[in-house]
Amino acid sequence: DVLLVESGGDFVHPGGSLRLSCTASGFAFGDSLMTWVRQAPGKGFEWISTINGGGDWTNYSDSAKGRFTISRDNSKNTLYLQLNNLRPDDTAKYHCTTATGPPYANRGQGTQVTVSS
C-alpha cells in the first residue's frame, strides 16, 4: 500500500523558512511524479508543485514560484519542499501526493505550516 508521511511543519514568523519532508513507501518512488498540495482552513486543495521521477523537471504554481523549491532524494525515498520568505497566506496543511490532479488521492496526513507575527 502507498504510504506517505509528511513532516517539518511548524510555526514561523513572516519571512521565515521551513523545509518539509515526505517519506514514501509501498510503490516505485523513483519512477513516480510527486506533488505537493496544501489546504488552508475552510478551503479546497491548492496545487503547489510537481517533480518528475528523475528530479530534473519541476513545475510550480504562481504563488510558489521564486519562493518554494521542490526536490527529491530517490535513494532515501524522500520528497522535499523548501519554503522561503513565508507569508501569512501560506498558512495551511501541506500534503505530498502521487496524484497530479484533484481530488489528490494517495496523500499523506499532512504537516501544518503556520505563518504569523
Side-chain angles (χ1 to χ4, degrees):
D1 291 353
V2 172
L3 180 63
L4 300 166
V5 180
E6 301 93 337
S7 62
D10 205 342
F11 175 95
V12 295
H13 295 299
S17 296
L18 286 172
R19 189 194 197 199
L20 308 184
S21 299
C22 167
T23 302
S25 62
F27 65 103
F29 178 77
D31 294 335
S32 302
L33 281 169
M34 294 296 298
T35 293
W36 284 99
V37 298
R38 68 186 182 186
Q39 188 173 30
K43 297 188 177 181
F45 287 106
E46 176 188 5
W47 170 74
I48 298 299
S49 183
T50 298
I51 188 169
N52 71 346
D56 57 351
W57 175 86
T58 58
N59 197 19
Y60 296 92
S61 68
D62 286 343
S63 64
K65 209 169 294 183
R67 298 189 301 128
F68 299 173
T69 303
I70 192 171
S71 63
R72 65 194 298 159
D73 185 339
N74 289 343
S75 69
K76 297 180 179 178
N77 274 17
T78 301
L79 177 73
Y80 302 101
L81 187 67
Q82 177 69 38
L83 309 174
N84 294 329
N85 193 20
L86 283 161
R87 309 184 301 224
D89 62 359
D90 294 317
T91 295
K93 184 167 279 190
Y94 286 69
H95 302 261
C96 59
T97 175
T98 59
T100 54
Y104 298 113
N106 284 339
R107 63 181 181 270
Q109 84 290 345
T111 187
Q112 179 67 39
V113 173
T114 303
V115 186
S116 176
S117 55

